[in-house]
Structure formats: structure tokens, C-alpha cells
Amino acid sequence: MTLPLTVSDEVRALAPGFTHVAVEAHGLVNGPSTDGTSELLDAAARRLAARTAGRAPHEDPHMAAWREVYTAFGSKPSRTRNSAEALARRALTDAGLPRVNLLVDLYNAVSVARLVPVGGEDLDRVRGGMRLVRAAGDEDFVTVAVGEETVEHPAAGEVVWLDDAGVTCRRWNWRQGPRTRLTGESTSAIFLLESLAPAPEAEEAAVELAELLEKFSPGARIEVRAPQG
């Protein structure tokens, strides 16, 4: 089944050039990070370094556009960075990119190499369709703080992804909730690649991600959807 994904009119008005490409996959294999995914992450950091050529990630035009839209909905982009910028900053440090698990490593590598925000959700944990909206402020965002589950609420007007059970990701693509994240048991997933312009970069990144998923999960059923605004 194809997961419904919708973008509200309020978000379209805030960012008229926004597009996203979805990669839906079933029959995936997840598990701990491997030497193969570690090599991909290191290669992505090298691709990023060549692309930025000594400049900070936020100086990239796409990252600068994300900073502008974060400011437009009331978020401070130097404190709550979009996911691609946050990962890129880590990739350029001596510590490098984190190793999380096989599937997360794959989409993080694509995100860093292409400077495109990418997120992955466990389809078996998503309730109903997913919607990108400006929050009313009373929606539930279940997260973990100091080792314990807690419920937060987004700020009114904040851009969030949510499903029928609550917010799945705050501040557009800043912080994902644990409820729908990809774990070692995940076998079906939806990957969202987001862009603030109808540029081919997100589409090319989606194709690259689909090829990596097929390589690491042979026989998986993978669909790359056409870009949607």
C-alpha cells in the first residue's frame, strides 16, 4: 500500500518552492552498522568536503534556503538546524558521522553527500497517512528525555510532520520522534527527501538511496515516487 503524504496549504504558502520525493520500501533488512555502511558514511563526508571546498555547510545555497524558511516559521536556524545541515557539520569534524544502524546509515550517507534533508519512518509504526502542517500547538510529540518517555508540544505555527497518532518529526525535519524511527526490527519504511526548490538533486538522491537499499536488502520491493509539492 502506498502511504498517503500531504502538504497543507499553509506550508505551501510559507515555502512555495517546497518539493519532496518519497522512497517506499518493503522487505528490507536492518541491523547494526556494517563495514559497508561505515565506508559509505566516510565516502559521503569526502563528497561533502569536495562540494563545500572549505565553506561552512550553511553557506551552501540549499542550506541557506532552509535557514530562511526556518526563520519564517519562528525557529532559530543556528540552534535548530535542518537535518542535512546538522549532519554535514558533524561529518566535517574529526569525530565524523555517527553509526546508527544499517538503514539509517544509508539515508544519512545520501543526505550528507547531496546536502538534502532525508528522513526514514517505519511504516508499521505510522498510523494513517502523514501530513506536513503548521502546528496548532496542542499536538502530542512523544520523545525521550533523561531516559524517560515524555510528551512535548510544538510551538503554534511550527512546521511538523504528523500522523493520526501525533507528531512524528518537529520543526520540519529537525528532530524525529522515537515512535516511528527505524529499528533493528524494521522491514518496511518510507524515506522522505525534501527540497526547497524543484531541483533534480532530491530526485537524484532518491535514486541513489533506492539503489543502496536494493544493494543492502536484495529482493526488497522499492518504489521511488515522483516529486510532489
Side-chain angles (χ1 to χ4, degrees):
M1 178 181 291
T2 298
L3 180 75
L5 299 167
T6 58
V7 178
S8 73
D9 291 341
E10 291 80 8
V11 172
R12 296 178 194 276
L14 180 72
F18 173 70
T19 59
H20 66 273
V21 184
V23 179
E24 187 167 332
H26 301 268
L28 295 169
V29 175
N30 200 9
S33 302
T34 66
D35 289 344
T37 63
S38 186
E39 290 170 5
L40 279 173
L41 291 167
D42 289 340
R46 292 192 294 270
R47 290 166 66 183
L48 171 68
R51 175 178 180 142
T52 55
R55 299 185 302 275
H58 70 262
E59 296 180 68
D60 179 89
H62 193 207
M63 297 298 94
W66 276 105
R67 284 193 164 217
E68 288 180 8
V69 79
Y70 266 50
T71 300
F73 68 78
S75 184
K76 295 181 179 180
S78 60
R79 294 181 59 188
T80 55
R81 297 176 176 88
N82 76 80
S83 63
E85 183 185 334
L87 278 174
R89 285 170 58 88
R90 294 188 67 171
L92 296 174
T93 67
D94 291 339
L97 289 164
R99 275 57 173 167
V100 181
N101 60 49
L102 192 152
L103 292 178
V104 174
D105 289 354
L106 295 185
Y107 78 71
N108 278 351
V110 171
S111 177
V112 166
R114 299 278 187 172
L115 272 183
V116 171
V118 184
E121 309 281 356
D122 187 324
L123 278 173
D124 293 328
R125 299 174 181 227
V126 174
R127 299 292 174 256
M130 291 181 60
R131 306 178 297 282
L132 186 66
V133 304
R134 300 197 69 174
D138 58 357
E139 297 89 349
D140 288 343
F141 177 70
V142 179
T143 187
V144 175
V146 197
E148 295 186 3
E149 185 176 288
T150 185
V151 178
E152 299 177 354
H153 304 286
E158 181 182 324
V159 177
V160 299
W161 279 102
L162 51 75
D163 65 4
D164 291 350
V167 173
T168 58
C169 194
R170 287 196 59 188
R171 292 176 188 158
W172 213 310
N173 48 45
W174 166 66
R175 187 171 68 173
Q176 182 189 36
R179 174 172 60 87
T180 57
R181 68 186 175 192
L182 297 172
T183 69
E185 290 73 45
S186 301
T187 58
S188 296
I190 187 82
F191 301 91
L192 294 172
L193 300 91
E194 300 179 303
S195 175
L196 289 178
E201 191 84 60
E203 296 177 66
E204 294 168 1
V207 171
E208 181 177 355
L209 177 57
E211 291 172 349
L212 288 172
L213 293 171
E214 175 60 33
K215 176 181 177 180
F216 283 85
S217 295
R221 304 184 306 281
I222 302 167
E223 175 193 4
V224 179
R225 301 193 201 171
Q228 298 179 29

